[in-house]
Amino acid sequence: MSAVIISFVLFLLAVTGFVLNSVGREKNNEVVTGIGTGISICVIIVVLVRWLL
């Protein structure tokens, strides 16, 4: 059950990162784009770690 919740949270974080990235680029806001990219990178790292272990 917890794996489903973790997957759902990771999916929401990935979507949030993608949206922030898009909004940041559209508004030409470096900070928002950086936050979005950071969230996306964190999600990718967590997914890779969970997949490898």
Side-chain angles (χ1 to χ4, degrees):
M1 186 66 190
S2 62
V4 174
I5 294 169
I6 291 170
S7 299
F8 184 68
V9 170
L10 284 175
F11 176 74
L12 283 179
L13 277 174
V15 170
T16 305
F18 180 75
V19 169
L20 281 175
N21 213 332
S22 301
V23 169
R25 287 195 182 150
E26 194 176 298
K27 303 263 190 241
N28 226 354
N29 188 333
E30 297 276 327
V31 176
V32 177
T33 306
I35 292 169
T37 305
I39 292 173
S40 300
I41 291 171
C42 287
V43 170
I44 290 168
I45 290 171
V46 170
V47 169
L48 282 176
V49 168
R50 282 186 56 83
W51 186 63
L52 290 173
L53 296 178

